[in-house]
């Protein structure tokens, strides 16, 4: 996290690039997710004037914590869940804002891998990962560095991970086990191997005590008065002298002017915004064609954490329709608890097609195949499907073969007075770390831009 002194002194948070202190600039920030909030916060710390425009009535974007309809202080994460000890940007802000972390995992509790109607031998899965995945991720480099990029993996961008595993001698059965609980058929192998490298670089995982949305709330509190909610942007225009956005509120439109603009919208939403003059053709193609992962979650409130009594963590990776099951915070076996699904791709879309009541009924029935105790302990729940969210339209960007080698650089490239942030522009797509890194990057970019005349 940068202090004002460090910012003005020209010390970068991550890669050592210099800041150029100068006259204040008026910066419009579109989107109050972590990318937009961190960019606005850093720019204001450097003495610039920021105005943040957010379509929703809350800050955080895809960092969203559900506290209703749960009992006894339970809460569930809709989007970002975990923080690695290697996520430097995230930890800096957590410390800066005085937030508390708590363990995400209890190492004494075991996960379950479940396929073909039975629990799998974890040693066998470990052997397969060591044989096939670790040699591939060896080219990733140090994914714990704040300036890390997955350049060493780009040779695998031509194909999918299942196809790459088969090329390296894995049988169909081994590929099925190695991709259990994920939709690996369409994304680029480079994209997925980068995710595995990020995951495996962690020594420990944490969450923010009380809910991960406390991080965007901390930003919003410090930016109070600069965040305008219920303000969807429908048009962005730029000229040699500045930028202008058109905002629609209650059926009426009005405009705001600035010197520079930070666009922190996901591609799925940005493609609905008119931009004048038009962006370069390559950037338009990337924005219009970008794929975002379908993720659906169903939350089951349980009268007791019966899984803890059995020495189990509640984590399940399976070939069942819910793909994966994650526990909420807390390890007391006698207290109420939450289990929630993490369902990908086609399974997530099938779940989205169900009514909210059907989602709960079908999920309880499927979870009972792993945990027969679930129906007796189930007290109620809710669901979240990210493709249904009109201001997100998906959970995070997913690069398909041939895209990762070119699209990230195109998506993050400034275009005149427009600067682009978001997890889709970072080396950590889908992570809070990536959103925060991108916010810091655009803050540096704009601080180094020419001062307004």
């Amino acid at each position: 996290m940068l202090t004002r002194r460090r910012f003005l002194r020209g010390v970068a948070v991550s890669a050592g690039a210099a800041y150029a202190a100068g006259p204040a600039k008026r910066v419009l920030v579109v989107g109050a997710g972590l990318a937009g909030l961190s960019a606005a916060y850093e720019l204001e710390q450097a003495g610039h004037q920021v105005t943040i425009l957010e379509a929703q009535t809350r800050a955080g974007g895809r960092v969203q914590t559900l506290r209703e309809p749960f009992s006894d202080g339970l809460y569930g994460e809709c989007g970002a869940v975990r923080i690695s000890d290697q996520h430097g940007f995230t930890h800096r802000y957590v410390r800066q804002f005085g937030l508390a972390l708590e363990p995400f995992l209890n190492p004494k509790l075991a996960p379950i891998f479940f396929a073909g109607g039975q629990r799998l031998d974890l040693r066998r899965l470990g052997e397969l990962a060591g044989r096939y995945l670790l040699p591939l991720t060896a080219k990733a480099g140090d994914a714990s560095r704040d300036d890390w990029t997955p350049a060493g993996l780009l040779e695998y961008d031509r194909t999918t991970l299942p196809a790459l595993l088969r090329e390296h001698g894995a049988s169909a059965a081994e590929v099925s086990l190695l991709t259990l609980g994920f939709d690996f058929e369409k994304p680029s192998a480079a994209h997925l191997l980068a995710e595995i490298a990020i995951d495996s670089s962690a020594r420990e995982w944490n969450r923010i005590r009380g809910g991960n949305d406390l991080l965007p709330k901390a930003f919003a509190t410090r930016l109070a008065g600069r965040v305008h909610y219920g303000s969807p942007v429908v048009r962005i225009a730029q000229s040699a002298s500045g930028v202008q956005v058109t905002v629609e509120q209650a059926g009426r439109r009005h405009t705001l002017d600035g010197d520079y603009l930070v666009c922190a919208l996901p591609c799925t939403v940005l493609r609905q915004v008119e931009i004048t003059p038009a962006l370069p053709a390559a950037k338009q193609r990337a924005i219009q064609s970008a794929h975002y992962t379908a993720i659906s979650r169903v939350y089951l409130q349980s009268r007791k954490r019966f899984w803890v009594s059995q020495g189990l963590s509640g984590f399940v990776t399976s070939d069942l329709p819910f793909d994966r099951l994650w526990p909420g915070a807390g390890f007391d076996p006698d207290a109420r608890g939450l289990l929630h699904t993490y369902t990908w791709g086609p399974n997530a879309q099938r779940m989205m097609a169900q009514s909210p009541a059907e989602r709960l009924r079908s999920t309880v029935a499927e979870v009972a195949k792993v945990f027969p105790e679930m129906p007796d302990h189930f007290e109620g729940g809710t669901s979240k499907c990210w493709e249904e969210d009109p201001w997100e339209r998906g959970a995070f960007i997913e690069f398909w073969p041939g895209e990762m080698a070119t699209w990230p650089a195109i998506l993050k490239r400034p275009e005149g007075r427009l600067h682009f942030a978001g997890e889709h522009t970072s080396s950590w797509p889908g992570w809070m770390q990536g959103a925060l890194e991108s916010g810091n990057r655009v803050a540096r970019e704009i601080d180094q831009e020419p001062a307004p005349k």
Side-chain angles (χ1 to χ4, degrees):
M1 182 62 229
L2 292 181
T3 63
R4 177 180 174 82
R5 180 177 299 173
R6 285 183 66 198
F7 197 107
L8 296 177
R9 196 167 64 211
V11 179
V13 170
S14 59
Y19 285 90
K25 304 178 179 80
R26 298 173 303 145
V27 184
L28 302 175
V29 179
V30 182
L34 284 184
L37 290 169
S38 58
Y41 180 80
E42 295 296 343
L43 286 164
E44 184 170 86
Q45 291 291 309
H48 302 294
Q49 300 172 14
V50 298
T51 300
I52 308 162
L53 302 168
E54 169 56 47
Q56 303 187 77
T57 55
R58 65 171 182 87
R62 284 163 285 174
V63 180
Q64 181 182 9
T65 306
L66 290 183
R67 294 177 176 82
E68 299 292 338
F70 310 123
S71 306
D72 297 353
L74 296 174
Y75 57 87
E77 302 294 350
C78 290
V81 178
R82 302 178 295 161
I83 301 171
S84 162
D85 62 319
Q86 303 297 305
H87 290 172
F89 285 99
T90 313
H91 279 273
R92 290 187 189 106
Y93 286 113
V94 166
R95 290 193 300 268
Q96 174 87 11
F97 299 150
L99 301 175
L101 294 177
E102 62 184 15
F104 185 68
L105 299 169
N106 182 337
K108 296 180 180 180
L109 300 176
I112 292 175
F113 286 78
F114 187 92
Q118 62 184 355
R119 297 183 185 183
L120 303 179
D121 185 342
L122 298 184
R123 291 172 299 179
R124 169 62 172 158
L125 294 175
E127 290 170 0
L128 291 176
R131 185 188 311 167
Y132 295 111
L133 292 178
L134 293 185
L136 294 173
T137 58
K139 296 185 179 182
D142 186 359
S144 69
R145 292 173 55 93
D146 280 352
D147 61 351
W148 173 74
T149 68
L153 297 173
L154 292 182
E155 66 180 275
Y156 304 131
D157 189 42
R158 58 183 167 76
T159 187
T160 65
L161 186 56
L164 184 63
L165 291 171
R166 289 191 290 269
E167 285 180 22
H168 283 75
S171 67
E174 290 171 332
V175 170
S176 180
L177 288 175
L178 287 167
T179 58
L180 186 68
F182 297 88
D183 177 27
F184 279 175
E185 291 301 323
K186 293 180 179 178
S188 156
H191 176 83
L192 294 173
L193 289 170
E195 286 295 297
I196 294 169
I198 292 168
D199 208 286
S200 60
S201 72
R203 294 185 296 265
E204 64 179 44
W205 294 96
N206 291 286
R207 65 176 101 221
I208 296 175
R209 183 176 298 153
N212 287 339
D213 68 346
L214 296 181
L215 180 55
K217 285 181 177 180
F219 275 113
T221 296
R222 287 155 179 80
L223 292 164
R226 274 79 82 202
V227 185
H228 298 260
Y229 296 109
S231 301
V233 170
V234 296
R235 184 175 185 270
I236 296 171
Q238 67 168 319
S239 65
S241 59
V243 296
Q244 184 180 77
V245 299
T246 302
V247 175
E248 187 171 281
Q249 292 176 311
R252 301 174 62 183
R253 294 190 173 192
H254 64 276
T255 60
L256 296 90
D257 298 295
D259 300 311
Y260 294 95
L261 181 140
V262 174
C263 181
L265 300 178
C267 295
T268 46
V269 178
L270 179 58
R271 64 182 60 148
Q272 302 169 27
V273 178
E274 178 188 353
I275 300 179
T276 305
L279 297 173
K283 193 161 210 146
Q284 289 188 59
R285 283 195 298 271
I287 292 169
Q288 292 296 326
S289 304
H291 317 282
Y292 275 64
T293 306
I295 297 290
S296 296
R297 297 183 186 265
V298 176
Y299 304 82
L300 309 179
Q301 178 173 307
S302 175
R303 191 171 66 255
K304 289 187 177 182
R305 298 186 180 104
F306 56 83
W307 54 92
V308 176
S309 300
Q310 301 170 18
L312 299 171
S313 65
F315 286 91
V316 178
T317 303
S318 79
D319 60 355
L320 296 170
F322 60 76
D323 290 331
R324 287 188 281 172
L325 195 66
W326 293 29
F331 306 113
D332 182 352
D334 295 321
R336 281 189 169 85
L338 280 183
L339 292 174
H340 65 83
T341 65
Y342 191 89
T343 307
W344 289 62
N347 280 338
Q349 291 169 332
R350 282 189 285 271
M351 186 174 289
M352 185 173 65
Q354 299 176 334
S355 70
E358 289 170 337
R359 293 170 192 168
L360 289 174
R361 284 195 298 270
S362 64
T363 301
V364 170
E366 293 297 336
V367 170
K369 295 176 182 177
V370 183
F371 291 129
E373 304 88 348
M374 190 71 243
D376 291 336
H377 287 80
F378 174 66
E379 294 184 321
T382 189
S383 58
K384 171 75 176 187
C385 299
W386 281 105
E387 283 199 334
E388 289 182 338
D389 190 318
W391 304 115
E392 306 296 346
R393 298 296 185 190
F396 47 84
I397 199 164
E398 183 178 271
F399 295 107
W400 289 13
E403 297 172 353
M404 193 170 172
T406 55
W407 281 14
I410 291 171
L411 289 170
K412 75 178 183 181
R413 184 176 61 210
E415 308 294 349
R417 293 175 176 267
L418 310 185
H419 294 256
F420 296 84
E423 51 88 20
H424 58 287
T425 69
S426 80
S427 295
W428 295 268
W431 296 96
M432 290 186 281
Q433 168 81 353
L436 295 169
E437 180 275 331
S438 73
N440 277 258
R441 171 180 52 76
V442 296
R444 291 195 302 275
E445 291 172 354
I446 291 174
D447 192 66
Q448 294 166 358
E449 289 279 10
K453 296 179 181 179

